[in-house]
Amino acid sequence: MSTLDIPELALVALVGISGSGKSTFARRHFAPSQVLSSDAFRAMVADDENDQSASADAFEALHHVAATRLRRGRLTVVDATNLQPHARAALVRVAREQDVLPVAIVLDVPEALAWERTGARADRTFGRQVLARMQRDLRRSYGQLAREGFRKVHVLRGVDEIDAAEIRYEKLF
Ligand code: GTP
Ligand code: MG
């Protein structure tokens, strides 16, 4: 079992390609109200969780809610791919502005497995190349996360490690 130590109050960024199991992981380990997902915010602002043209507005709203929650002392999990430096930089900024530690949890599954899983979903229609690009972005992300300001970077490699993970909360004081 791998134990992931997380500060009681943190901004937790899930990082992983589509189909890596971020939303499943979030459901398993956190309360629904703690999880802000990019899909849910796209649906909120555009009635369509796959409307990529709504992404900028969706993330603006997501960052606003995240900041509000952190200001109120509530642990917050961001369920989005978070594969691009600019997306993560925005989360680090939100956390810092509220004096909260940003933490990353990377879910790394084989690209072929992620593709198999997304193929089974009617709500995911992107092509193989899109997933391959995500995988490249993920590989690049590894060297960058700590340097970007994430205080802890937990990496779960493969389905077994993801399955076995448990969260342990660290008291702040
Ligand atoms: P995006 O939202 O597209 O970025 O994907 P995601 O990373 O949120 O993946 P999600 O949690 O939606 O999982 C994708 C599919 O894989 C779903 O159909 C899940 O049921 C399945 N899945 C996720 N995690 C596991 C797992 O640990 N075991 C098994 N068997 N299936 C899983
Ligand atoms: Mg998801």
Side-chain angles (χ1 to χ4, degrees):
M1 181 180 75
S2 43
T3 303
L4 314 183
D5 283 319
I6 289 177
E8 263 183 328
L9 175 55
L11 181 151
V12 179
L14 301 181
V15 178
I17 66 175
S18 191
S20 59
K22 300 178 296 297
S23 301
T24 304
F25 186 89
R27 263 195 302 278
R28 181 168 154 218
H29 294 284
F30 302 99
S33 56
Q34 293 178 311
V35 180
L36 307 183
S37 98
S38 49
D39 283 345
F41 276 84
R42 273 191 212 92
M44 261 183 258
V45 302
D47 292 326
D48 178 357
E49 64 175 45
N50 287 303
D51 183 350
Q52 300 303 316
S53 78
S55 286
D57 285 330
F59 277 103
E60 189 185 315
L62 186 155
H63 295 151
H64 180 76
V65 175
T68 305
R69 288 182 52 85
L70 297 176
R71 175 168 54 74
R72 298 178 60 85
R74 310 315 300 176
L75 178 107
T76 298
V77 180
V78 178
D79 174 12
T81 55
N82 294 318
L83 291 169
Q84 308 222 326
H86 75 88
R88 296 190 298 260
L91 297 181
V92 170
R93 195 161 52 238
V94 166
R96 285 201 178 136
E97 281 168 5
Q98 304 301 328
D99 268 323
V100 165
L101 295 176
V103 171
I105 300 178
V106 180
L107 305 189
D108 192 347
V109 304
E111 190 183 325
L113 174 63
W115 178 244
E116 205 175 285
R117 287 175 173 177
T118 50
R121 290 173 62 183
D123 60 335
R124 288 289 185 271
T125 54
F126 52 75
R128 190 73 180 80
Q129 287 311 311
V130 173
L131 197 68
R133 174 157 27 87
M134 290 185 191
Q135 185 66 25
R136 279 198 299 279
D137 289 340
L138 175 68
R139 277 199 298 271
R140 280 196 201 107
S141 301
Y142 272 117
Q144 302 177 344
L145 285 158
R147 167 160 19 122
E148 288 169 351
F150 288 95
R151 192 58 75 85
K152 284 176 192 288
V153 179
H154 294 296
V155 178
L156 298 172
R157 281 183 212 272
V159 171
D160 291 347
E161 251 182 65
I162 293 170
D163 270 354
E166 294 297 340
I167 308 273
R168 183 169 64 194
Y169 291 106
E170 294 174 320
K171 296 259 177 245
L172 290 174
F173 300 103

